[in-house]
Amino acid sequence: RESVAYIHNLAVDNLCHTLVGAACGEAGLKRRTALGSMTLMIAANLPDIDVLVFATGMPSVAFRRGWTHGVVAQVLLPVALAAVVAMVGRRRGARFAPLLLLSYVGVLSHVALDLLNNYGVRLLMPFSSRWFYGDAVFIVDLWIWLVLGVGVWRSLVRGSTRPARRALAIAAVYILAMVVSAGLARSIVADEWQ
């Protein structure tokens, strides 16, 4: 039962990560090299490879949002992805250096978004298993989906980077507003508690 609920949340959560990767691509980053858009979308989901823990007998919380979201993975996952995509896409003109940049954009965006919600990440794995929580943006945020989805769609239809860039900017402002309001709410609660 826990696995089914988690996989449902994972699929929903990963829609947002995919939209961020797609929006970054449509904002112009995909033009850096062949297979740029694909690389951004895969990289934006790559830290969630830890979902494979469900195929083992290990308790999911023991591994989830830890090793594949920690600082070592943030350094190594983009390198591995860029190497694989460069090898596979060599005949199509995929180049390692731009793929590496795009892979870092995707992986770091994933960790940053996961850091913003109440589930959090173990950012310092494997050096520390401490959880970090933003408690500012819901795991499933329909407003972010809507803004990024419309931005990507309009960029594709118009053949322009402008809608995707606007969507990313609007999403960033929305996220910043959520972070500020969460901080204010915590401050109010702390003041009232005292």
Side-chain angles (χ1 to χ4, degrees):
R1 184 182 261 182
E2 175 190 333
S3 298
V4 171
Y6 178 73
I7 290 171
H8 169 72
N9 286 338
L10 175 71
V12 172
D13 181 48
N14 287 88
L15 176 58
C16 182
H17 291 305
T18 303
L19 285 170
V20 169
C24 287
E26 293 306 317
L29 290 180
K30 71 180 184 181
R31 297 177 182 163
R32 294 191 170 271
T33 184
L35 306 178
S37 190
M38 178 193 78
T39 300
L40 281 161
M41 289 187 280
I42 291 171
N45 286 285
L46 192 56
D48 278 342
I49 196 168
D50 61 2
V51 72
L52 296 175
V53 74
F54 287 113
T56 71
M58 184 186 297
S60 62
V61 75
F63 195 73
R64 188 68 185 119
R65 288 194 179 183
W67 287 86
T68 62
H69 287 66
V71 291
V72 173
Q74 291 174 45
V75 171
L76 298 179
L77 285 176
V79 174
L81 178 61
V84 168
V85 175
M87 184 178 66
V88 170
R90 183 178 49 229
R91 289 189 177 154
R92 294 187 61 192
R95 296 174 295 131
F96 179 77
L99 289 170
L100 183 61
L101 171 68
L102 300 179
S103 295
Y104 273 110
V105 167
V107 167
L108 295 176
S109 75
H110 180 105
V111 175
L113 284 171
D114 281 359
L115 186 59
L116 289 170
N117 61 47
N118 61 346
Y119 191 62
V121 294
R122 289 179 281 176
L123 199 56
L124 301 176
M125 284 294 277
F127 309 110
S128 169
S129 60
R130 178 178 173 225
W131 286 87
F132 293 86
Y133 311 88
D135 235 355
V137 178
F138 292 112
I139 291 175
V140 176
D141 195 304
L142 298 178
W143 294 113
I144 295 175
W145 287 4
L146 182 64
V147 166
L148 293 177
V150 168
V152 168
W153 175 73
R154 290 185 70 191
S155 280
L156 288 167
V157 168
R158 292 182 176 184
S160 169
T161 60
R162 186 172 289 151
R165 288 179 181 187
R166 282 186 185 151
L168 286 167
I170 291 167
V173 168
Y174 170 76
I175 289 168
L176 181 60
M178 295 298 284
V179 168
V180 169
S181 86
L184 290 172
R186 279 192 290 276
S187 176
I188 291 168
V189 168
D191 289 344
E192 291 298 320
W193 184 262
Q194 291 175 359

